[in-house]
Amino acid sequence: MNIHSEKEGKVSRGDKKGLIRQAAIRVFAREGFHQARMETIAHEAGVAVGTIYNYFESKKDVLLSVFEAELEERISFFEELRESGLSVPEQIAQILQGYFSLLQENTELAQVLLRERFNPEKGFKDKLSDFHRKVVERIEVLIQEGIDQGWVRSCNPRIIAPALFAVVQSIGVWEMIHPGTVVRELFQTAPNELADFIWNGLKKGESDEERD
């Protein structure tokens, strides 16, 4: 029995796809998508190259799986917040805290998500746009609920939601531009700073109440 068979025997079939995905994240972060090879991912995961193709058709599919898994976690988190009973401003704060905690605690995943979101691979852009659309739609729902509950001023959620998404994403790019201690400090203060910035722009003021 070779080394790959020995390692594979210890991992259930249900876990193996996740094992490969985690190995791919490390390889993509270290080498970049275009330089990464399936053989390297296989070695990192401790599986045979052929095993990867039992779960993924191509390297692009492995990368899409990384984004898809992250999207599912975000959507699940949004749904949990909706059912939590927290106010709209508290939900905004929790969303920001979760996002920047990810950037700080899982830097390899953060690098891949930020770096590869502009990947020009055929079919990748459309799929990724669909992922982002689903996140923006959840933000739209949150804003609309805030309006309905009297927390948020009258506005067009379809315009505001992608703008807020873009603002948060742009701060994440600091990880690529200014790596190091400065970025870690920035990510620690970013949730509160952005929560205040966003909420001050969304909250209902006295003039809004008078118009109502």
Side-chain angles (χ1 to χ4, degrees), residues 60-140:
K60 180 184 74 176
D61 286 339
V62 179
L63 181 60
L64 280 172
S65 177
V66 171
F67 278 89
E68 188 169 21
E70 172 58 21
L71 171 71
E72 289 174 355
E73 285 198 20
R74 288 195 196 187
I75 296 302
S76 177
F77 182 52
F78 286 177
E79 293 304 319
E80 287 177 10
L81 284 177
R82 286 190 68 191
E83 299 173 2
S84 66
L86 293 174
S87 66
V88 170
E90 288 172 326
Q91 289 186 56
I92 292 173
Q94 287 293 313
I95 290 170
L96 292 169
Q97 189 64 54
Y99 176 71
F100 285 100
S101 291
L102 166 69
L103 295 183
Q104 292 182 80
E105 296 168 7
N106 197 331
T107 56
E108 290 173 326
L109 175 59
Q111 286 175 17
V112 174
L113 295 175
L114 293 170
R115 182 193 300 154
E116 302 300 340
R117 60 185 173 146
F118 300 117
N119 191 301
E121 284 285 307
K122 184 178 180 182
F124 185 86
K125 182 178 179 181
D126 291 340
K127 191 71 174 177
L128 188 56
S129 294
D130 185 53
F131 292 165
H132 286 164
R133 177 180 56 78
K134 290 177 181 178
V135 173
V136 171
E137 284 175 351
R138 294 310 190 281
I139 300 174
E140 282 185 36

Side-chain angles (χ1 to χ4, degrees), residues 7-23:
K7 289 186 177 180
E8 289 178 36
K10 298 178 182 178
V11 181
S12 69
R13 181 174 179 81
D15 292 338
K16 205 169 294 181
K17 186 173 184 178
L19 179 72
I20 295 168
R21 185 188 301 115
Q22 290 302 316

Side-chain angles (χ1 to χ4, degrees), residues 17 39 59 63 95 138 140 151 153 158 180 187:
K17 186 173 184 178
E39 291 81 1
K59 187 172 66 171
L63 181 60
I95 290 170
R138 294 310 190 281
E140 282 185 36
W151 288 96
R153 65 178 175 80
R158 185 157 290 182
F187 286 171

